[in-house]
């Protein structure tokens, strides 16, 4: 079931598996479109349950049909822990998707896990700026911030996205591309995160939200025009599409 709520397209499915099937088709279609248009596909991943919901991309037919060598992978946010830690979003993505597909390692942009949170954020932003300088990553004409082709975003029960939490100043950052937090209310505390100006410069954004524990935040973001939750600030230069299962949509 699809409907329009404000500037958002909301897709509702009976089950999480229904979301996973539709998400794989959506990502594969965007991959084909962007590669046909410009020869590459820049994708930003989140942590949490998102990678598992992307599971069908690592299976037939997508494992064989998607032009994986044209992809580049980035992270919306990352825990400042060793990349092989169970808390690492990189490891989560590697174990759940990346090790099964043929994206070149030099097109997978993990953080430098040897640096402090501040140092890791500065390093990640510097690497993004280098990609812009080399015309690998475009800037948005509308915002002047880097524009990714697709950003895959999850949401917490408190309405946080990336590592932009309620009652934390990082959500209000307007100049930096990447910032850091050392007191995340969700462990582990040290993290880096893309900022809202970068998130909202993306061409396409998929908000992927499943589970009954998120139903209250979903209702607030989608039905309350005065919502103060971070997820309510998400917008896209192109289309913003919400993927919900019935549990997450149960209060709409």
């Amino acid at each position: 079931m699809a409907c329009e709520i404000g500037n958002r397209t909301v897709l509702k499915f009976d089950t999480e598996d229904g979301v996973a099937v539709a998400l794989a088709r959506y990502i594969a279609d965007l991959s084909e479109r962007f590669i046909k248009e410009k020869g590459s596909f820049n994708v930003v991943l989140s942590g949490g349950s998102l990678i598992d919901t992307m599971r069908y991309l690592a299976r037939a037919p997508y494992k064989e049909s998607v032009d994986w060598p044209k992809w580049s992978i980035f992270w919306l946010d990352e825990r400042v822990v060793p990349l092989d830690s169970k808390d690492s979003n990189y490891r989560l993505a590697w174990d759940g998707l990346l090790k099964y597909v043929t994206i070149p390692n030099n097109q997978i942009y993990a953080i430098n896990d040897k640096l402090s949170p501040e140092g890791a954020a500065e390093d990640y932003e510097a690497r993004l700026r280098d990609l812009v300088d080399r015309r690998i990553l475009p800037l948005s004409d509308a915002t002047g911030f880097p524009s990714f082709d697709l950003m895959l975003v999850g949401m917490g029960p408190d309405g946080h996205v990336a590592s932009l939490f309620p009652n934390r100043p990082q959500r209000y950052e307007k100049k930096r591309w990447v910032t850091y937090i050392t007191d995340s209310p969700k462990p582990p505390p040290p993290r880096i995160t893309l900022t809202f100006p970068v998130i909202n410069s993306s061409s396409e954004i998929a908000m992927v939200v499943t589970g009954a524990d998120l139903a209250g935040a979903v209702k607030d973001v989608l039905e309350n025009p005065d919502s103060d939750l971070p997820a309510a600030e998400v917008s896209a230069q192109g289309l913003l599409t919400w993927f919900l299962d019935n549990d997450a949509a149960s209060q709409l």
Side-chain angles (χ1 to χ4, degrees), residues 15-25 52-57:
T15 64
E16 186 276 342
D17 195 65
V19 171
V21 169
L23 184 65
R25 185 181 307 116
D52 185 54
T53 308
M54 294 173 66
R55 59 188 174 271
Y56 286 108
L57 286 174

Side-chain angles (χ1 to χ4, degrees), residues 6 43 72 80 88 109 118 132-133 168 173 184 189 221 232 234 237:
V43 180
S72 292
V80 184
S88 166
Y109 295 92
E118 181 176 12
V132 168
D133 290 343
R168 292 293 190 277
E173 175 61 52
S184 163
V221 171
V234 175
Q237 297 298 305

Side-chain angles (χ1 to χ4, degrees), residues 174-190:
K174 301 301 182 188
K175 294 182 179 179
R176 296 187 62 174
W177 296 5
V178 185
T179 189
Y180 69 98
I181 181 170
T182 57
D183 62 346
S184 163
K186 182 179 178 182

Side-chain angles (χ1 to χ4, degrees), residues 11-114:
L11 306 177
K12 290 186 273 188
F13 302 89
D14 289 342
T15 64
E16 186 276 342
D17 195 65
V19 171
V21 169
L23 184 65
R25 185 181 307 116
Y26 163 87
I27 294 171
D29 287 349
L30 283 179
S31 172
E32 183 177 9
R33 183 189 114 196
F34 278 103
I35 290 170
K36 188 174 295 183
E37 288 176 359
K38 64 186 188 67
S40 63
F41 189 42
N42 298 321
V43 180
V44 179
L45 301 178
S46 303
S49 62
L50 172 75
I51 298 299
D52 185 54
T53 308
M54 294 173 66
R55 59 188 174 271
Y56 286 108
L57 286 174
R59 306 177 190 176
Y62 304 113
K63 184 177 179 181
E64 292 79 23
S65 63
V66 168
D67 193 354
W68 297 107
K70 301 288 178 60
W71 282 43
S72 292
I73 295 291
F74 303 85
W75 272 267
L76 181 61
D77 66 328
E78 179 59 284
R79 293 85 178 270
V80 184
V81 296
L83 293 179
D84 60 358
S85 166
K86 62 180 178 60
D87 290 323
S88 166
N89 286 340
Y90 166 84
R91 178 176 171 181
L92 184 69
W94 179 262
D95 289 346
L97 174 65
L98 299 180
K99 71 181 181 181
Y100 299 109
V101 297
T102 55
I103 303 170
N105 285 337
N106 65 350
Q107 292 166 209
I108 298 174
Y109 295 92
I111 70 164
N112 184 335
D113 61 354
K114 305 296 191 292

